[in-house]
């Protein structure tokens, strides 16, 4: 079978002089025709060409249709958009990159005239949820980096809605690394409705002629004696914690190398379950001590990893951040106990001493040598250095900033971390352009630089550290060897976690390719292409026949299908835009409610002028008790809605350090004093079902549009006083009321001594000292 039998790919829409089709691309294209397909292909082998060929084929087959190209980040979206502009002869106005910076109204207008749109999944998800436009006429959605199509990621929701709505649906998923386990790969297949898998590796006959050699070398460095002294302090302290945990039968070993971070996280859940199930006060005391030690074990393990793999600056930064928490009195008990320990204080002093002497990590000197050597040999080189931690990125950039040879810039994600500002997507795009143009020759990046970015000139990749992830390692290596030969250097400390992570990653990568081979052979042997397509077609037809609303499918997921599709506009729910990060809003959309996304000042969901709902996961519920915001939020909710409801999702008594009496006390106060109704749900699926029935019941008896009317400021003097006092750290609305009832005025509260403050109900010595200290603290804006 040859490509000539498929005239659509020779269509004038393809820029023939720019598109050089390779045999494996043609084979993959042919095998993907008329099937929802998962294409697993090494980076640098022209996945964009395959996507382009299929997009043009679908537009030629369905001339009035549209194509959507999804990618996880804006720089990657922009890259695909620019590639299609170069590779097709389509009217450039019919190709658009649609981002969240464009208003929903403008996006709706743009949608009318485009043929191929390029978006992040979050933008498309929000537009689907709010019914901004329809996917009915979309003939192909391309999911780039489709290994993300697991769990609650937006790809999963989009695929479900698309298959349900589109007249002529087809899905193309593309990735270099779908995951290491058979379960993960099958989950991607299920979530994207995959019928056909196309796998290519560097060893395949139709790929081999196009592979560029990548030279890969490990470079091991010895840790200096000064590091070993600190490591001994940290490992001795960690081992003493493990001995205590082993003595009370919580772990089986005291070997630091055998207990992983995952083991410690699982241990936290185990301890919480035991605390909740025992009534023996002595055993509870031991378990609460174990919980504090478990938290400190995670901290110590992290300190060891920072020193071994990142260097002294990273460890000093970590100590500094935690000391700030101690100064601001925001540290919990376990952190305070750890940092008051004499041995940890000794480790902090040694760290400060070593850092002041200019010693960072032997990797830094080796990294500098490798970059200098590369630029000396090939002056126009482009070099990517990968680091797991943003602090290390900042430290390396700072060290190389004044180097006359290394023109360096950081490449990190968008999130702000404390005072460390992230890069906006616009800044990321500009940095990549400057890198390509030679304004910078070296980028120091976190994981955001690993995925998909096509930097053709990148001829050297350096792993500053090793990540125990097959997906991330494959993505890192794939940044070089795309258009020419490349090099990969992996820096690792001898006898450190770097080495352990390296071998763990290699094992996962072998498992991934073995599982892919197994799945592919199974597909071929059972001729699943046809059978699975027939099954999916059957299920799609059954959906349209309005099968029961909740249908259990694999992996304990629930598929939500509306029983009221013909009355879609009858039921409306206003959702806070921040709730789109949770599966609840997506599930409500799958049930065909009319969703309106608003940035709500009060409530997470509003179903009428009378009814507002706040949703809290168990973790968020206990966290908001600690920081005092729970009662403020619920007081506002009750003040603005006649029917104020708190949906409590999960069990707040599990996995918490808060005493159960405090939790029950908070729940009692919410019901009895604030007057908010609490409804407890098992999980997000039960929350979705509850909200659906709630809105259906409410709006079946009341008609008209929902109007938002919030009182933005306190309406009376009593509430204003409560509002001011409750802004003190640790003082919630109930404690504020108690203080005002006892001491009468804000002036008296701030003039009171510690003994007077402690006479108030629920105000102990610690809170009294905090109020006393704040009221006498001199303001300094520095």
């Amino acid at each position: 079978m040859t490509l000539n039998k498929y005239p659509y790919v020779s269509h004038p829409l393809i820029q023939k002089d720019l598109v050089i089709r390779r045999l494996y691309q043609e084979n993959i294209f042919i095998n993907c025709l008329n099937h929802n397909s998962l294409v697993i292909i090494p980076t640098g082998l022209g996945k964009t060409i395959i996507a382009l060929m299929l997009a043009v084929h679908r537009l030629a087959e369905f001339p009035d249709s549209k194509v959507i190209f999804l990618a996880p980040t804006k720089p990657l979206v922009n890259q695909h958009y620019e590639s299609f502009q170069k590779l097709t002869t389509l009217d450039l106005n019919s190709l658009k990159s649609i981002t969240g910076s464009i208003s929903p109204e403008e996006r709706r207008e743009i949608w009318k005239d485009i043929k191929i749109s390029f978006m992040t999944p979050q933008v498309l998800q929000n537009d689907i949820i709010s019914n901004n436009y329809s996917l009915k006429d979309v003939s192909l959605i391309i999911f780039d980096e489709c290994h993300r199509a697991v769990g609650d990621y937006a790809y999963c929701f989009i695929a479900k809605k698309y298959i349900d709505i589109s007249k002529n649906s087809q899905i193309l998923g593309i990735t270099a690394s779908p995951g290491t386990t058979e379960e993960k790969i099958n989950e991607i297949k299920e979530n994207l409705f995959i019928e056909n898998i196309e796998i290519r590796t560097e060893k395949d006959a139709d790929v081999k002629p196009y592979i560029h050699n990548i030279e890969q070398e490990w470079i091991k460095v010895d840790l200096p004696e000064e590091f070993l002294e600190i490591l001994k302090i940290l490992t001795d302290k960690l081992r003493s914690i493990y001995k205590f945990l082993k003595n009370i039968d919580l772990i089986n070993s005291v070997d630091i190398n055998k207990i992983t971070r995952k083991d410690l996280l699982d241990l936290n859940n185990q301890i919480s379950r035991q605390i909740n199930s025992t009534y023996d006060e002595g055993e509870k005391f031991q378990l609460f001590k174990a919980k504090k030690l478990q938290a400190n074990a995670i901290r110590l393990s992290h300190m060891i990893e920072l020193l071994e793999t990142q260097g002294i600056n990273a460890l000093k930064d970590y100590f500094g951040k935690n000391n700030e928490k101690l100064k601001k009195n925001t540290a919990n008990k376990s952190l305070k106990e750890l940092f008051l320990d004499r041995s940890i204080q000794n480790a902090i002093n040694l760290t400060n001493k070593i850092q002041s002497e200019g010693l960072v990590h032997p990797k830094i000197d080796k990294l500098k040598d490798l970059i200098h050597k590369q630029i000396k040999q090939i002056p126009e080189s482009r070099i990517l250095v990968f680091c797991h931690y943003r602090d290390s990125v900042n430290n390396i950039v700072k060290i190389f900033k004044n180097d006359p040879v290394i023109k360096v810039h950081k490449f990190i994600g968008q999130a702000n971390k404390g005072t460390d500002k992230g890069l906006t997507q616009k800044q990321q795009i500009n940095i990549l352009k400057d890198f390509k143009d030679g304004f910078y020759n070296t980028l120091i990046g976190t994981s955001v630089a690993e995925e998909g970015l096509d930097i053709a000139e990148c001829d050297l990749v350096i792993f500053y550290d090793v990540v125990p992830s097959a997906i991330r390692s494959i993505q890192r290596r794939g940044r070089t060897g795309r258009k020419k030969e490349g090099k990969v250097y992996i820096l690792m400390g001898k006898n450190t976690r770097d080495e352990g992570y390296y071998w763990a990653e290699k094992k996962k990568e072998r498992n991934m390719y073995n599982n892919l081979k197994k799945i592919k052979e199974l597909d071929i042997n059972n001729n699943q292409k046809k059978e699975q397509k027939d099954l999916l077609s059957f299920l799609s037809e059954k959906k349209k026949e309005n099968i029961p609303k909740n249908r259990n499918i694999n992996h304990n997921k629930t598929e939500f299908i509306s029983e009221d599709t013909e009355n879609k506009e009858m039921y409306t729910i206003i959702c806070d835009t921040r709730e789109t990060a949770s599966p609840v809003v997506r599930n409500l959309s799958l049930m065909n409610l009319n969703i309106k996304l608003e940035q709500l000042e009060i409530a997470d969901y509003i179903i009428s002028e009378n009814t507002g709902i706040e949703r809290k996961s168990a973790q968020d519920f206990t966290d908001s008790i600690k920081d005092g915001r729970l009662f403020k939020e619920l007081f506002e909710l009750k003040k603005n809605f006649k029917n104020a409801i708190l949906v409590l999702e999960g069990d707040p008594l599990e996995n918490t350090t808060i005493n159960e009496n405090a939790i029950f006390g908070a729940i009692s106060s919410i019901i009895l004093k604030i007057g908010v109704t609490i409804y407890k749900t098992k999980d997000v699926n039960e929350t979705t079902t509850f909200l659906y029935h709630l809105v259906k019941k409410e709006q079946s008896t009341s008609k008209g549009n929902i109007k938002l009317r919030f009182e933005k400021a306190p309406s009376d003097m009593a509430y204003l006083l409560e509002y001011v006092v409750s802004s003190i750290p640790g003082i919630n609305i109930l404690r504020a009321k108690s203080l005002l009832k006892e001491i009468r005025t804000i002036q008296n509260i701030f003039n009171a001594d510690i003994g007077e403050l402690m006479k108030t109900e629920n105000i102990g010595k610690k809170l009294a000292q905090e109020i006393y200290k704040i009221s006498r603290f001199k303001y300094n804006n520095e």
Side-chain angles (χ1 to χ4, degrees):
M1 188 176 288
T2 65
L3 192 64
N4 295 331
K5 291 192 177 182
Y6 296 90
Y8 298 122
V9 297
S10 298
H11 195 279
L13 292 180
I14 289 186
Q15 194 76 276
K16 297 182 185 64
D17 57 330
L18 292 178
V19 178
I20 303 169
R21 293 191 298 269
R22 298 166 175 175
L23 179 61
Y24 65 86
Q25 292 170 339
E26 296 181 359
N27 290 340
I28 291 171
F29 165 75
I30 291 166
N31 293 337
C32 289
L33 288 173
N34 305 316
H35 296 293
N36 292 336
S37 297
L38 170 60
V39 174
I40 300 159
I41 184 171
T43 51
L45 290 181
K47 64 182 180 183
T48 305
I49 302 296
I50 297 165
L52 171 70
M53 292 161 70
L54 198 57
V56 169
H57 171 81
R58 295 297 282 180
L59 289 175
E61 193 172 16
F62 303 102
D64 296 326
S65 70
K66 301 176 189 290
V67 170
I68 297 174
F69 200 132
L70 295 175
T73 64
K74 189 175 176 182
L76 198 47
V77 167
N78 192 61
Q79 177 182 297
H80 292 311
Y81 172 50
E82 289 178 354
S83 295
F84 267 55
Q85 284 181 312
K86 292 174 187 173
L87 299 175
T88 75
T89 59
L90 278 166
D91 179 0
L92 293 184
N93 291 325
S94 69
L95 302 174
K96 288 289 181 185
S97 173
I98 302 178
T99 67
S101 60
I102 301 170
S103 71
E105 293 76 21
E106 287 179 277
R107 295 202 297 267
R108 192 184 308 121
E109 287 304 309
I110 290 169
W111 180 258
K112 292 176 183 176
D113 300 317
I114 57 172
K115 297 302 290 181
I116 305 179
S117 61
F118 303 83
M119 310 185 211
T120 61
Q122 289 74 24
V123 170
L124 181 58
Q125 171 188 273
N126 289 350
D127 283 346
I128 293 170
I129 287 170
S130 53
N131 298 312
N132 208 20
Y133 43 77
S134 174
L135 301 182
K136 183 176 68 173
D137 295 320
V138 175
S139 60
L140 175 67
I141 297 186
I142 300 157
F143 294 85
D144 190 26
E145 307 296 350
C146 70
H147 53 270
R148 291 175 174 244
V150 293
D152 294 323
Y153 192 67
Y155 276 179
C156 309
F157 165 78
I158 291 167
K160 281 181 186 175
K161 290 292 281 189
Y162 175 57
I163 291 293
D164 196 43
I165 293 169
S166 175
K167 294 184 295 187
N168 300 293
S169 64
Q170 185 171 351
I171 285 172
L172 175 65
I174 309 174
T175 182
S177 42
T180 55
T181 66
E182 199 172 338
E183 291 75 19
K184 171 87 179 283
I185 298 164
N186 281 325
E187 185 180 357
I188 294 166
K189 281 181 62 181
E190 180 183 307
N191 289 339
L192 295 183
F193 301 88
I194 296 301
E195 306 155 330
N196 168 58
I197 299 181
E198 291 297 315
I199 303 168
R200 294 295 187 278
T201 69
E202 291 92 340
K203 296 177 183 178
D204 285 313
D206 58 352
V207 173
K208 268 185 180 179
Y210 309 102
I211 295 296
H212 299 284
N213 183 51
I214 298 176
E215 177 190 332
Q216 184 168 309
E217 183 182 342
W218 317 337
I219 298 175
K220 295 186 180 183
V221 297
D222 291 305
L223 296 186
E225 289 293 326
E226 295 90 336
F227 280 27
L228 301 180
E229 192 175 351
I230 298 173
L231 280 173
K232 186 176 186 309
I233 293 170
L234 298 176
T235 52
D236 285 351
K237 183 66 181 173
L238 183 57
R239 198 173 286 111
S240 70
I241 289 176
Y242 287 168
K243 281 180 182 175
F244 176 86
L245 296 174
K246 187 173 185 294
N247 286 340
I248 59 173
D249 298 321
L250 288 173
I251 58 175
N252 299 319
S253 172
V254 296
D255 188 338
I256 288 171
N257 296 318
K258 287 184 179 177
I259 298 173
T260 66
R261 180 179 175 81
K262 184 178 183 301
D263 294 331
L264 291 172
L265 292 171
D266 291 341
L267 180 61
N268 181 53
N269 296 336
Q270 180 188 336
I271 294 170
S272 295
R273 285 194 297 271
Q274 288 186 224
I275 289 171
N276 291 330
S277 63
T278 184
Y279 294 96
D280 184 292
E281 289 303 317
E283 186 181 355
K284 271 197 176 181
F285 177 81
Q286 286 281 72
L287 287 168
F288 275 115
K289 181 179 178 182
K291 201 167 182 68
K292 286 191 290 184
L293 291 176
Q294 174 268 345
N296 284 336
I298 290 177
R299 293 185 180 109
L300 287 163
S301 179
H302 183 60
M303 291 176 201
I304 293 167
E305 179 172 331
L306 287 177
L307 184 58
E308 287 186 341
T309 67
Q310 307 300 310
I312 206 75
N313 287 356
L315 183 60
K316 185 177 184 292
D317 288 345
Y318 180 76
F319 284 143
K321 287 173 185 176
N322 284 292
N323 273 321
E324 277 300 306
K325 291 179 183 177
L326 293 169
K327 286 178 186 175
K328 292 177 179 177
N329 204 25
T330 57
N332 58 29
K333 285 183 181 178
S334 60
L335 181 61
K336 287 177 182 176
E337 288 181 11
L338 182 65
F339 271 63
L340 288 172
D341 185 273
R342 188 175 296 173
S343 63
I344 299 302
Q345 284 297 315
N346 189 20
I348 292 171
N349 293 334
L350 281 170
T351 299
N352 292 334
K353 179 176 178 292
I354 294 168
Q355 201 260 355
S356 68
E357 293 168 354
L359 181 59
V360 181
H361 195 291
K363 285 183 182 180
I364 289 289
D365 291 333
K366 183 57 67 176
L367 178 63
K368 187 175 180 179
D369 290 344
L370 290 171
I371 296 173
H372 273 248
K373 183 180 175 184
Q374 178 70 24
I375 295 172
K376 186 178 178 181
Q377 289 176 349
I378 309 172
E380 65 276 12
S381 285
R382 300 292 182 273
I383 299 159
L384 266 176
V385 179
F386 286 107
C387 296
H388 184 56
Y389 296 103
R390 188 187 282 191
D391 285 346
S392 293
V393 170
N394 291 331
N395 280 321
I396 294 169
V397 169
K398 190 176 178 182
I399 291 166
F400 290 169
K401 190 174 181 181
N402 298 318
D403 191 287
V405 176
I406 305 172
K407 295 181 286 184
V408 69
H409 203 288
K410 67 180 180 181
F411 193 76
I412 58 173
Q414 298 175 69
N416 296 328
K417 297 188 176 179
T419 57
D420 183 21
K421 296 276 187 185
L423 295 174
T424 66
Q425 290 184 326
K426 187 175 180 181
Q427 287 174 316
Q428 291 172 352
I429 290 168
N430 289 336
I431 290 166
L432 287 178
K433 185 178 182 300
D434 288 342
F435 182 61
K436 196 169 185 178
D437 293 342
F439 189 77
Y440 308 115
N441 58 23
T442 305
L443 290 185
I444 316 293
T446 54
S447 58
V448 73
E450 292 170 0
E451 203 167 55
L453 298 173
D454 182 16
I455 307 167
E457 295 82 5
C458 183
D459 39 17
L460 173 61
V461 166
I462 302 173
F463 292 22
Y464 183 76
D465 47 29
V466 185
V467 287
S469 162
I471 290 176
R472 290 185 60 193
S473 289
I474 290 168
Q475 298 283 9
R476 283 183 173 190
R477 292 199 306 270
R479 300 310 102 211
T480 189
R482 288 171 165 242
K483 303 280 178 74
K484 56 186 177 182
E485 292 188 354
K487 295 177 190 172
V488 174
Y489 292 129
I490 301 168
L491 302 180
M492 57 178 81
K494 276 186 191 173
N495 303 315
T496 67
R497 295 189 188 189
D498 276 331
E499 287 191 344
Y501 287 163
Y502 178 82
W503 293 113
E505 183 278 319
K506 284 295 166 195
K507 184 179 179 183
K508 288 177 181 177
E509 197 171 327
R510 280 196 305 273
N511 289 342
M512 183 185 79
Y513 286 119
N514 288 337
N515 286 324
L516 284 171
K517 188 178 177 184
K518 192 190 303 182
I519 289 170
K520 180 66 176 173
E521 287 172 354
L522 191 64
D523 278 355
I524 293 169
N525 293 339
N526 295 333
N527 194 22
Q528 282 190 342
K529 290 180 185 179
K530 183 175 183 302
E531 291 174 13
Q532 195 171 349
K533 187 174 187 341
D534 290 344
L535 176 61
L536 287 170
S537 300
F538 170 74
L539 290 177
S540 181
E541 287 300 315
K542 292 302 287 180
K543 282 184 192 177
K544 292 170 185 176
E545 292 171 22
N546 199 18
I547 63 175
K549 176 167 62 70
N550 291 347
R551 176 159 53 83
N552 290 326
I553 57 175
N554 291 340
H555 306 300
N556 298 317
K557 293 187 226 169
T558 302
E559 185 170 354
F560 292 92
I561 302 168
S562 174
E563 59 188 23
D564 295 299
T565 52
E566 71 278 9
N567 294 321
K568 183 176 175 179
E569 296 300 322
M570 180 185 287
Y571 305 125
T572 298
I573 184 166
I574 300 174
C575 306
D576 184 59
T577 51
R578 288 158 290 199
E579 280 290 296
T580 57
S582 116
V584 173
V585 176
R586 299 194 285 270
N587 288 344
L588 289 169
S589 177
L590 288 168
M591 298 171 79
N592 286 322
L593 289 183
N594 183 29
I595 309 286
K596 290 187 178 178
L597 296 178
E598 304 270 354
Q599 193 160 339
L600 297 176
E601 296 171 22
I602 299 163
D604 292 322
Y605 302 91
I606 297 173
I607 62 173
S608 71
E609 290 184 42
N610 291 325
T611 306
I613 300 133
E614 184 75 21
R615 171 183 162 267
K616 296 257 180 232
S617 66
Q619 181 68 53
D620 190 25
F621 181 78
T622 53
D623 287 346
S624 60
I625 291 175
K626 290 178 191 175
D627 61 28
R629 64 189 156 87
L630 176 67
F631 297 104
K632 291 179 187 177
E633 290 172 354
L634 295 180
F635 193 91
E636 288 284 353
L637 189 71
K638 183 60 183 174
K639 191 164 177 288
N640 283 277
F641 294 99
K642 180 182 175 184
N643 304 318
I645 301 169
L646 170 65
V647 173
L648 180 53
E649 195 174 278
D651 188 349
L653 296 175
E654 286 186 5
N655 307 323
T656 182
T657 54
I658 299 181
N659 184 282
E660 65 178 38
N661 291 332
I663 292 175
F664 283 125
I667 291 171
S668 302
S669 296
I670 291 166
I671 297 169
L672 299 175
K673 294 189 176 181
I674 302 179
V676 171
T677 301
I678 298 179
Y679 184 84
K680 187 175 176 299
T681 62
K682 181 175 63 179
D683 52 28
V684 291
N685 290 339
E686 198 170 288
T687 299
T688 305
T689 304
F690 171 66
L691 290 176
Y692 175 80
H693 286 287
L694 200 64
V695 70
K696 184 179 174 184
K697 184 72 174 176
E698 174 78 345
Q699 293 180 17
S700 294
T701 55
S702 62
K703 306 292 181 184
N705 294 328
I706 305 170
K707 296 177 184 176
L708 301 182
R709 292 188 301 228
F710 297 136
E711 296 178 35
K712 295 183 181 178
S715 61
D716 55 58
M717 189 55 70
Y719 175 53
L720 179 59
L721 296 177
E722 292 165 8
Y723 189 84
V724 172
V725 175
S726 66
S727 66
I728 299 169
I731 304 298
N732 56 36
I733 202 75
L734 297 179
R735 286 180 177 139
K737 285 183 176 182
S738 297
L739 280 165
L740 288 163
K741 189 175 179 182
E742 179 71 29
I743 306 178
R744 309 303 300 169
T745 70
I746 292 176
Q747 183 179 12
N748 290 345
I749 290 170
F750 284 145
N751 287 334
D753 60 30
I754 292 171
E756 287 177 281
L757 292 166
M758 288 176 63
K759 291 176 184 177
T760 304
E761 184 185 1
N762 295 323
I763 302 295
K765 186 176 180 181
K766 183 179 172 184
L767 278 175
Q769 288 173 335
E770 184 72 10
I771 297 168
Y772 185 85
K773 183 177 77 173
I774 287 172
S775 66
R776 287 154 180 81
F777 195 85
K778 289 184 179 179
Y779 175 70
N780 183 344
N781 66 356
E782 296 177 2

